[in-house]
Amino acid sequence: MPGHFRRLFASLMVLAVCWWVLGSAPVQDNSLQVSRNLQEESLSLIAAGRDAEALPLVKQLHEAYPGNHVYLARLAEIHQRSGEWQGCVDAWEAYLKVSPTPWEAFPVLGDAYRKLGRPADSLDAFKRGLALEPRNAELAFYLGRAYERESQFDKARTTYRAALQDHPDHADLGIGLARVTLFSGNTPEARRLAEAAAKRSPGAVDAKLIFGMTLRAQGDLARARVELEQARAMSPDYVDVLLVLGGVAEQQNDLARARELYARILELDPRQATVRTRLASLQAGSKR
């Protein structure tokens, strides 16, 4: 079943189970009507963007029906939107124990662990997800990306390659494989993979970016700049594109362009200390 149809089916099933739980619960002191009122009010608040007001209502529903995965997912989503990553993790981990569709938790669960500064738990979450659905391309991509973040490029490459056997046209998997191949030092193979990814997915900015990076690594600065300028046109404030494009401009001795790009990066992300140092050096050189 294609991914989007599966998710639609799962959502419908979740909704049906939710109302079955409410409808089949024993009626004591109007508890069923109270639950329905809480359900309707909490959903209305969430739809209005009033998560802080909805949260205690959803918690109340969860306490009344602790085995109902719908309320756990709703709690997790509220915590996610609020950036409360520990609450998000706790809710999704509880969701895994009771949900008929546990794989729905893993993309956000793994990312929440990463944002808590727990990369080992992030990796473990994505591994658990892929173990449940071994042919899920998205979960394979998330696991490969988690390996990349830990500089475990061999494991990332193995993960991407295995998934590409089942999903040869999956853009993110192909781009990821090209990227880890480049970072592992095999520039010719990385260029071949990146060029194929860029041709297969001409609208994917990351495909343009990695292709430009491989061209730069091989010293083809003019063509690298063309690809990277196209990537910037597709996503003007993508910091990674600006950074690589700035480096190419420096190598071409187009220092005014490099300064412009580095200054823009710092506007977008003032924490980029290396870029700040590089820009200061270029500005100092321009004054001599």
Side-chain angles (χ1 to χ4, degrees):
M1 183 184 296
H4 61 285
F5 287 123
R6 184 181 61 219
R7 286 190 289 272
L8 177 60
F9 175 77
S11 298
L12 292 172
M13 183 167 66
V14 161
L15 188 59
V17 170
C18 172
W19 284 111
W20 178 84
V21 168
L22 291 178
S24 62
V27 180
Q28 297 176 352
D29 301 326
N30 296 319
S31 61
L32 178 57
Q33 188 59 48
V34 169
S35 295
R36 284 176 172 165
N37 291 343
L38 286 171
Q39 168 89 339
E40 292 174 5
E41 186 177 357
S42 63
L43 287 174
S44 178
L45 289 168
I46 290 170
R50 296 160 63 183
D51 282 342
E53 296 171 67
L55 181 58
L57 305 185
V58 179
K59 283 182 177 179
Q60 192 174 341
L61 285 165
H62 168 56
E63 289 165 4
Y65 304 96
N68 188 328
H69 59 287
V70 175
Y71 302 133
L72 284 165
R74 204 164 291 160
L75 280 175
E77 290 161 357
I78 290 174
H79 287 310
Q80 178 190 357
R81 289 192 293 270
S82 304
E84 297 171 355
W85 300 114
Q86 187 59 58
C88 182
V89 160
D90 292 342
W92 280 128
E93 288 287 6
Y95 174 93
L96 292 175
K97 297 174 183 177
V98 298
S99 174
T101 58
W103 58 84
E104 300 286 345
F106 287 105
V108 178
L109 178 60
D111 196 50
Y113 274 125
R114 181 179 67 85
K115 289 174 178 173
L116 283 171
R118 296 165 61 178
D121 289 325
S122 177
L123 270 171
D124 178 68
F126 291 128
K127 288 178 185 177
R128 285 185 282 153
L130 195 59
L132 277 177
E133 283 212 311
R135 299 185 67 180
N136 186 307
E138 283 72 28
L139 287 173
F141 170 72
Y142 292 131
L143 177 58
R145 199 73 178 96
Y147 279 131
E148 280 192 69
R149 290 191 179 101
E150 296 305 300
S151 299
Q152 298 184 38
F153 297 131
D154 288 343
K155 290 182 178 180
R157 185 165 54 249
T158 298
T159 302
Y160 289 140
R161 281 195 184 280
L164 281 165
Q165 291 179 2
D166 290 327
H167 308 278
D169 295 325
H170 193 284
D172 288 336
L173 290 170
I175 293 165
L177 180 59
R179 186 169 51 240
V180 295
T181 301
L182 176 63
F183 293 163
S184 300
N186 189 346
T187 304
E189 175 65 5
R191 175 173 174 169
R192 184 188 70 79
L193 291 167
E195 187 167 14
K199 288 180 179 177
R200 186 166 54 245
S201 305
V205 63
D206 281 319
K208 288 281 186 186
L209 170 60
I210 191 61
F211 187 32
M213 291 170 67
T214 62
L215 291 166
R216 180 191 181 188
Q218 289 191 318
D220 191 349
L221 298 180
R223 191 174 176 195
R225 185 159 177 173
V226 169
E227 296 294 330
L228 293 165
E229 291 285 7
Q230 290 176 0
R232 192 190 181 189
M234 294 161 64
S235 184
D237 291 334
Y238 191 169
V239 168
D240 289 350
V241 171
L242 298 176
L243 187 59
V244 179
L245 186 54
V248 170
E250 271 199 81
Q251 286 180 273
Q252 292 182 314
N253 206 35
D254 187 353
L255 303 186
R257 178 64 166 156
R259 288 193 294 270
E260 172 197 337
L261 292 164
Y262 293 153
R264 182 56 183 156
I265 291 172
L266 292 174
E267 289 176 9
L268 295 167
D269 184 3
R271 299 168 298 175
Q272 294 272 355
T274 302
V275 174
R276 188 176 301 281
T277 300
R278 190 68 209 138
L279 178 59
S281 175
L282 291 176
Q283 290 172 332
S286 69
K287 295 176 182 177
R288 293 195 191 109

PDB file of all heavy atoms in Angstrom, residues 9 36 179 181:
ATOM      1  N   PHE A   9      -5.311   5.561   5.735  1.00  0.00           N
ATOM      2  CA  PHE A   9      -6.023   4.430   6.334  1.00  0.00           C
ATOM      3  C   PHE A   9      -5.785   4.391   7.833  1.00  0.00           C
ATOM      4  O   PHE A   9      -6.713   4.196   8.622  1.00  0.00           O
ATOM      5  CB  PHE A   9      -5.555   3.130   5.688  1.00  0.00           C
ATOM      6  CG  PHE A   9      -6.147   1.900   6.324  1.00  0.00           C
ATOM      7  CD1 PHE A   9      -7.456   1.512   6.050  1.00  0.00           C
ATOM      8  CD2 PHE A   9      -5.404   1.142   7.217  1.00  0.00           C
ATOM      9  CE1 PHE A   9      -7.995   0.388   6.637  1.00  0.00           C
ATOM     10  CE2 PHE A   9      -5.947   0.015   7.805  1.00  0.00           C
ATOM     11  CZ  PHE A   9      -7.247  -0.363   7.515  1.00  0.00           C
ATOM     12  N   ARG A  36     -16.717  13.328  25.743  1.00  0.00           N
ATOM     13  CA  ARG A  36     -17.022  13.889  24.420  1.00  0.00           C
ATOM     14  C   ARG A  36     -16.844  15.402  24.414  1.00  0.00           C
ATOM     15  O   ARG A  36     -16.329  15.973  23.454  1.00  0.00           O
ATOM     16  CB  ARG A  36     -18.451  13.513  24.027  1.00  0.00           C
ATOM     17  CG  ARG A  36     -18.588  12.067  23.588  1.00  0.00           C
ATOM     18  CD  ARG A  36     -20.021  11.690  23.291  1.00  0.00           C
ATOM     19  NE  ARG A  36     -20.105  10.369  22.686  1.00  0.00           N
ATOM     20  CZ  ARG A  36     -21.227   9.661  22.589  1.00  0.00           C
ATOM     21  NH1 ARG A  36     -22.364  10.166  23.065  1.00  0.00           N
ATOM     22  NH2 ARG A  36     -21.231   8.469  22.037  1.00  0.00           N
ATOM     23  N   ARG A 179      26.159  12.041  -0.844  1.00  0.00           N
ATOM     24  CA  ARG A 179      26.784  12.892   0.180  1.00  0.00           C
ATOM     25  C   ARG A 179      27.785  12.097   1.027  1.00  0.00           C
ATOM     26  O   ARG A 179      28.923  12.537   1.238  1.00  0.00           O
ATOM     27  CB  ARG A 179      25.691  13.496   1.057  1.00  0.00           C
ATOM     28  CG  ARG A 179      26.174  14.512   2.066  1.00  0.00           C
ATOM     29  CD  ARG A 179      25.014  15.258   2.714  1.00  0.00           C
ATOM     30  NE  ARG A 179      24.012  14.336   3.240  1.00  0.00           N
ATOM     31  CZ  ARG A 179      22.733  14.316   2.845  1.00  0.00           C
ATOM     32  NH1 ARG A 179      22.288  15.161   1.939  1.00  0.00           N
ATOM     33  NH2 ARG A 179      21.876  13.452   3.368  1.00  0.00           N
ATOM     34  N   THR A 181      29.236   9.349   0.281  1.00  0.00           N
ATOM     35  CA  THR A 181      30.338   8.894  -0.578  1.00  0.00           C
ATOM     36  C   THR A 181      31.368  10.001  -0.726  1.00  0.00           C
ATOM     37  O   THR A 181      32.581   9.765  -0.678  1.00  0.00           O
ATOM     38  CB  THR A 181      29.790   8.456  -1.945  1.00  0.00           C
ATOM     39  OG1 THR A 181      28.834   7.407  -1.768  1.00  0.00           O
ATOM     40  CG2 THR A 181      30.910   7.957  -2.845  1.00  0.00           C
TER      41      THR A 181
END
